Amino acid sequence: MSSAAVPIIDSLSALADATRCRMLWLLERQELTVSELCAVMQLPQSTVSRQLKTLADAGWVTSRRDGTSRYYALATSSDESRRLWQLTRDQLGGRAGLEQDARRLAGVLARRSEVSQQFFASAAGQWDRLRDDLFGADVALRSLVGLLPSEWVVGDLGCGTGAVVAALAPYVATVIGVDASDDMLAAARERTRGLAHVDLRKGSLEALPIESGKLDAATMVLVLHHLPSPAAALEEAARVLKPGGRLLIVDMAPHDREEYRAQMGHVWLGFADEQMRRLLAQAGFDGIHVHHLAPVPEAKGPSLISASGVVRRM
């Protein structure tokens, strides 16, 4: 049920409970599962499920399935619901317990990324083979469209072993590659040895070590599904891009290969077209396009999408 279709008295009734307001405060910041909400709010599953149903019936939460998991988020689809939630959220400021909720939420997000971190710590030596087996050897090159003006400064966010950096470096002024893994960066340095115009930096994609407005364009190739908070990473990408700068994303379409979570540290089982458009729009991008890439016959992995957007001009 959309929030626009819910009578205002029902919306107000749903907000007249401190626990439900805490829940919405969390779901505005991050999509969470029932078990994650239980961990953050320190409530039993039956209580969390009951409160989510009340909020869903009143149009305050939406949910989507990702493999065997279901993620919940704040839903404010009408101007009326946005204004009402803003008033409610302002009243929550300084309430006891929210700071603790925020700390526990950070812990939940950290745990999401533990499997990915463990995978990358051990997989740098075989990453190229795994990637080629799943998606084909030229996946990055097939996806680099229109990113070659010689004066551009381009960022490869989540550069891994440096395949995209090496492909772009001969054609642009500078390529800045960022990755959180020391092992991946070591492999990238080896791959780009002797190439000019390469600047490799260690850092989180949710807190990029790049100054604001530095980049003309950026790429995120097979990265987003590893991140505990894709929205935060896209907001950072928008920050480091110039107004009018373009972001190109290559990632998996939705799939059901649940084993990827344990085997390769995947946090998300692909991204639907509309989900990708929503994430980019919320991060500050316009001119959003999502395309499905033609499959490579020998590739063993899920089908791929490319998505692009342009940072809004002020």
Side-chain angles (χ1 to χ4, degrees), residues 215-252:
L215 304 180
D216 296 286
T219 60
M220 299 178 75
V221 179
L222 297 174
V223 171
L224 212 58
H225 60 269
H226 282 291
L227 302 180
S229 180
L234 293 178
E235 288 172 2
E236 268 294 270
R239 178 186 67 79
V240 300
L241 283 162
K242 298 175 181 178
R246 180 174 293 275
L247 174 67
L248 173 68
I249 298 168
V250 178
D251 219 294
M252 291 176 289

Side-chain angles (χ1 to χ4, degrees), residues 174-196:
T174 305
V175 183
I176 300 174
V178 178
D179 205 282
S181 167
D182 288 326
D183 293 320
M184 287 289 182
L185 284 172
R189 291 189 182 95
E190 182 63 29
R191 171 177 251 140
T192 59
R193 189 187 303 276
L195 289 176

Side-chain angles (χ1 to χ4, degrees), residues 9-298:
I9 190 66
D10 293 337
S11 292
L12 289 170
S13 296
L15 294 177
D17 179 89
T19 298
R20 290 195 289 269
C21 288
R22 282 174 60 201
M23 192 173 290
L24 291 177
W25 186 84
L26 290 164
L27 294 178
E28 181 182 32
R29 282 151 182 77
Q30 190 68 44
E31 285 185 313
L32 296 168
T33 65
V34 169
S35 61
E36 287 174 336
L37 280 168
C38 292
V40 173
M41 302 182 73
Q42 296 188 323
L43 292 172
Q45 181 175 333
S46 58
T47 299
V48 169
S49 296
R50 184 175 66 253
Q51 301 288 27
L52 281 173
K53 183 178 187 306
T54 299
L55 290 169
D57 289 344
W60 281 111
V61 297
T62 185
S63 68
R64 65 175 184 84
R65 185 163 292 283
D66 186 83
T68 58
S69 301
R70 181 168 291 280
Y71 287 84
Y72 294 84
L74 173 71
T76 52
S77 58
S78 69
D79 291 339
E80 181 183 73
S81 63
R82 281 189 287 271
R83 289 194 300 268
L84 185 55
W85 171 242
Q86 183 174 355
L87 288 170
T88 305
R89 183 184 55 206
D90 291 345
Q91 292 297 312
L92 290 174
R95 285 290 187 95
L98 287 187
E99 186 175 339
Q100 294 180 8
D101 284 348
R103 285 198 296 268
R104 287 191 290 264
L105 176 61
V108 164
L109 296 180
R111 286 192 292 275
R112 280 186 186 178
S113 64
E114 283 177 0
V115 175
S116 286
Q117 291 170 354
Q118 292 169 2
F119 169 72
F120 284 121
S122 62
Q126 58 179 336
W127 176 243
D128 286 349
R129 180 185 59 77
L130 287 170
R131 183 161 163 161
D132 291 354
D133 285 348
L134 289 172
F135 307 114
D138 64 343
V139 58
L141 297 178
R142 288 186 290 115
S143 310
L144 296 175
V145 180
L147 298 181
L148 303 180
S150 61
E151 70 276 12
W152 273 12
V153 177
V154 180
D156 184 27
L157 311 181
C159 64
T161 57
V164 174
V165 173
L168 285 172
Y171 304 101
V172 297
T174 305
V175 183
I176 300 174
V178 178
D179 205 282
S181 167
D182 288 326
D183 293 320
M184 287 289 182
L185 284 172
R189 291 189 182 95
E190 182 63 29
R191 171 177 251 140
T192 59
R193 189 187 303 276
L195 289 176
H197 318 304
V198 172
D199 180 359
L200 297 176
R201 304 179 184 182
K202 181 179 180 180
S204 163
L205 269 64
E206 295 91 346
L208 290 167
I210 302 174
E211 55 265 46
S212 298
K214 174 71 173 178
L215 304 180
D216 296 286
T219 60
M220 299 178 75
V221 179
L222 297 174
V223 171
L224 212 58
H225 60 269
H226 282 291
L227 302 180
S229 180
L234 293 178
E235 288 172 2
E236 268 294 270
R239 178 186 67 79
V240 300
L241 283 162
K242 298 175 181 178
R246 180 174 293 275
L247 174 67
L248 173 68
I249 298 168
V250 178
D251 219 294
M252 291 176 289
H255 62 88
D256 59 359
R257 303 192 189 188
E258 189 77 24
E259 67 272 18
Y260 284 8
R261 296 190 194 274
Q263 292 176 357
M264 290 179 288
H266 291 197
V267 178
W268 309 104
L269 299 182
F271 298 90
D273 295 15
E274 191 55 39
Q275 180 187 7
M276 187 66 77
R277 291 189 184 95
R278 175 176 59 81
L279 285 168
L280 284 166
Q282 290 177 346
F285 290 88
D286 287 326
I288 298 166
H289 297 282
V290 179
H291 301 282
H292 288 252
L293 299 180
V296 176
E298 66 271 22

